[in-house]
Amino acid sequence: VQLVESGGGSVQAGGSLTLSCVASEFIYSTYCMAWFRQTAGEEREGVAAIVDDGNTTYADSVKGRFTISQDNAKNTLNLHMNSLKSEDTATYYCAAKRGRYDCYAGSPSLPYGMDHWGKGTLVTISS
C-alpha cells in the first residue's frame, strides 16, 4: 500500500486547509487510518484517526477545529483543518494499518503500530 499526501501549503492563522491522502490500494477489511504531524526535534504525534466503521478520534489540541474523513470509493483520506494556529505548523503524515487496535489519535503508541506511511506534506501557518 502506497500513501501519497497532498494539500499542504502556507496559510495565515485563522485560515483553513484540507489535506488529502490517496492509497494505491486497500486490502484490509478492518483498518485504522490516521494523520500525524511532526516538527523538527519533536516526536511524531497523532492528530486524528479513523477506523473502517467511521469512528473518529482527535488529539485534544485539534478537537473542534480538524475533521478527518474518508472516501472509500476513491481510497482517499482527508483532513479538514479550520481555525489554524501557528502551532499547527508541521509536516503532516498519513498512515494506515490493519485492524482497529489502539486506533486513538491521542495514543502515544499509535505511531509505532502503523504499517504504511506517506512521505508527508508541509503545512506552514503564519501569524
Side-chain angles (χ1 to χ4, degrees):
V1 177
Q2 292 186 337
L3 303 174
V4 180
E5 304 98 336
S6 63
S10 298
V11 296
Q12 289 192 327
S16 299
L17 208 58
T18 295
L19 306 182
S20 294
C21 171
V22 178
S24 58
E25 57 179 342
F26 224 75
I27 58 176
Y28 305 138
S29 57
T30 61
Y31 58 82
C32 166
M33 293 195 75
W35 287 97
F36 297 83
R37 65 186 181 187
Q38 188 172 26
T39 55
E42 299 292 328
E43 298 236 337
R44 195 166 293 189
E45 65 168 349
V47 173
I50 189 167
V51 293
D52 52 278
D53 66 3
N55 282 335
T56 60
T57 58
Y58 297 91
D60 288 342
S61 59
V62 306
K63 278 181 183 175
R65 300 189 298 121
F66 290 13
T67 303
I68 189 171
S69 64
Q70 55 187 353
D71 183 339
N72 292 335
K74 298 180 181 179
N75 282 356
T76 300
L77 181 74
N78 298 307
L79 184 69
H80 308 279
M81 306 185 293
N82 297 317
S83 302
L84 285 161
K85 306 175 181 180
S86 56
E87 51 262 43
D88 294 319
T89 294
T91 298
Y92 284 71
Y93 298 88
C94 167
K97 68 171 183 176
R98 181 197 306 267
R100 302 174 184 173
Y101 176 74
D102 195 33
C103 190
Y104 302 100
S107 170
S109 62
L110 184 61
Y112 304 100
M114 306 307 284
D115 297 320
H116 311 283
W117 289 89
K119 293 184 178 181
T121 185
L122 179 63
V123 172
T124 303
I125 311 303
S126 58
S127 55

